Amino acid sequence: MSATLELTQALIACRSVTPADGGCQVLLAQRLAPLGFKAEHLRFGEVDNLWLRRGTARPLFCFAGHTDVVPTGPLDQWHSDPFKPEIRDGVLYGRGAADMKTSIASFVTAIEGFLAQHPEPKGSIALLITSDEEGVAVDGTTRVVETLRARGEAMDYCIVGEPTSVKRLGDMIKNGRRGSLSGKLVVRGVQGHIAYPHLARNPIHLALPALAELTGMVWDEGDEYFQPTGFQFSNVHAGTGANNVIPGSLEILFNFRFSPACTPDTLRAAVHTVLDRHGLDYRIDWSLSGMPFLTPRGKLVDAVSRAILDETGHETELSTSGGTSDGRFIATHCHEVLELGPINASIHQLNEHIRVADIEPLAGIYRRTLEALLT
């Protein structure tokens, strides 16, 4: 059994459903202590975070990830206990196998292999580990970054171990992400009997023309790195449940995934302009959960791309697609941030898994990246 596979299994065995860490961070701190890593256990609210660092010199290279996992779902639909890692036909099964305990194990063994060959690297190495990525993401990475910023501890390069590969290991890395802006729209009408519509004001009828206009709008065209900004309704609710009552209000949840061509202010203004033009009586509660970020081609992207080619024999694709990640918090404190991890086809699913044959190559990619940037 390889060292990375063994550590991956040990991490999967930790029951760390968000926001619980399940003992993963203590295991990691103990594992890296003999190599000179200083551990800071940073607890905010109900969340455990870990900052591990070796060295004080610049540049500082950081691996970032999360030990928390999503709930298992129905246990009777798993083919084996999700917290008892099991290998069947060359595939490792367990909650967190792909998202993202294999990445964290690979961080560790990559560091061990790198330091065995380069005990005095040109710079420092750190790990930023949280147990609040799959949850509300309030007391996790963002709080650690705030702590580092307050004491002037800057990062130069960061790899987040999110599962970014699509069909084969390393075929895609995320060198940025779109921003996320959500809104809760409440359109007010007047409740009444459905047989007397002249005595009521139906907020659904009133809102439909504006909603149709919003869904048809082009917000931007995207660019070399980013898809066009997208707008989607996610929830719609109105009425009492009776079929003879005109509702008094309509509640709609919506979300923008936006590129740098837009800003939260321009998007908010555009929505309000449409709703005002249609004469609606409404309110919107806005929530910004992340700004877009981008790491263009440079030292980190080039080093990781080369590492993937040397380890797998294949080129990689740069992408900013998909949802948000903790990279959005780190990017406010580190100019070069990207995400690289295993195949993501089974993440958050029943019987989550990863190919055993991909595990050591992932550690190899991380190790080669360290060699490119710190030697």
Side-chain angles (χ1 to χ4, degrees):
M1 183 183 298
S2 75
T4 312
L5 174 58
E6 184 177 15
L7 181 54
T8 300
Q9 291 178 311
L11 292 171
I12 291 173
C14 296
R15 296 176 180 268
S16 56
V17 176
T18 190
D21 168 70
C24 294
Q25 294 176 20
V26 171
L27 189 161
L28 297 172
Q30 292 174 344
R31 175 78 174 242
L32 288 174
L35 295 179
F37 280 82
K38 177 185 176 182
E40 290 184 72
H41 295 275
L42 303 169
R43 185 171 176 85
F44 301 106
E46 299 298 316
V47 176
D48 290 308
N49 303 285
L50 176 64
W51 176 248
L52 284 165
R53 178 165 180 169
R54 180 188 190 271
T56 59
R58 301 281 295 272
L60 173 58
F61 185 103
C62 178
F63 287 113
H66 61 89
T67 52
D68 60 320
V69 298
V70 296
T72 62
L75 291 175
D76 60 356
Q77 295 183 35
W78 281 76
H79 298 152
S80 55
D81 189 321
F83 295 109
K84 291 183 178 178
E86 183 173 307
I87 298 173
R88 300 190 299 274
D89 299 323
V91 177
L92 173 64
Y93 291 86
R95 177 56 87 217
D99 188 15
M100 57 183 297
K101 292 183 174 180
T102 297
S103 294
I104 293 176
S106 297
F107 294 163
V108 172
T109 59
I111 291 169
E112 290 171 339
F114 171 71
L115 291 177
Q117 296 295 318
H118 308 281
E120 299 296 333
K122 297 178 181 178
S124 305
I125 306 172
L127 282 84
L128 193 170
I129 307 296
T130 183
S131 63
D132 185 33
E133 197 275 346
E134 299 291 8
V136 294
V138 169
D139 289 321
T141 297
T142 184
R143 295 292 299 276
V144 178
V145 169
E146 289 171 1
T147 300
L148 298 176
R149 183 184 294 110
R151 66 192 190 197
E153 192 168 358
M155 288 183 271
D156 297 284
Y157 310 110
C158 182
I159 292 180
V160 184
E162 286 294 332
T164 60
S165 303
V166 181
K167 294 183 178 179
R168 63 170 181 262
L169 179 66
D171 62 358
M172 180 178 289
I173 58 178
K174 306 289 186 179
N175 66 321
R177 295 279 189 167
R178 294 179 296 174
S180 179
L181 175 66
S182 297
K184 177 182 177 181
L185 168 65
V186 177
V187 179
R188 291 178 284 263
V190 176
Q191 183 173 315
H193 196 293
I194 207 161
Y196 302 94
H198 59 288
L199 299 178
R201 296 179 66 245
N202 192 320
I204 301 175
H205 294 185
L206 296 172
L208 282 177
L211 302 182
E213 183 174 341
L214 288 171
T215 60
M217 291 179 67
V218 176
W219 306 93
D220 60 60
E221 300 294 338
D223 59 25
E224 175 188 0
Y225 291 109
F226 286 90
Q227 297 173 335
T229 293
F231 174 82
Q232 292 290 323
F233 296 116
S234 57
N235 284 271
V236 179
H237 176 76
T240 64
N243 66 358
N244 62 348
V245 178
I246 293 172
S249 65
L250 167 67
E251 181 179 295
I252 298 173
L253 303 183
F254 62 88
N255 177 264
F256 285 100
R257 293 302 165 102
F258 63 99
S259 79
C262 293
T263 69
D265 286 342
T266 60
L267 294 173
R268 293 187 192 105
V271 171
H272 283 288
T273 296
V274 171
L275 299 178
D276 291 342
R277 186 168 61 249
H278 286 271
L280 300 179
D281 179 10
Y282 71 94
R283 78 165 194 274
I284 302 179
D285 297 322
W286 293 98
S287 174
L288 176 66
S289 60
M291 290 292 290
F293 71 92
L294 176 69
T295 299
R297 292 188 181 276
K299 289 184 178 180
L300 182 59
V301 170
D302 291 347
V304 171
S305 299
R306 183 68 192 184
I308 291 170
L309 180 61
D310 290 345
E311 187 71 33
T312 70
H314 299 290
E315 302 279 354
T316 191
E317 175 187 353
L318 300 181
S319 174
T320 61
S321 62
T324 58
S325 76
D326 277 0
R328 69 191 189 274
F329 305 127
I330 298 169
T332 65
H333 189 60
C334 179
H335 291 301
E336 297 192 51
V337 181
L338 59 77
E339 302 167 26
L340 165 65
I343 292 173
N344 57 26
S346 68
I347 61 173
H348 293 204
Q349 295 184 6
L350 300 169
N351 299 297
E352 182 180 349
H353 59 271
I354 182 174
R355 293 194 298 246
V356 172
D358 286 344
I359 294 177
E360 281 304 324
L362 179 60
I365 293 169
Y366 293 151
R367 177 181 53 77
R368 290 175 186 271
T369 303
L370 287 171
E371 291 170 349
L373 296 172
L374 297 184
T375 62

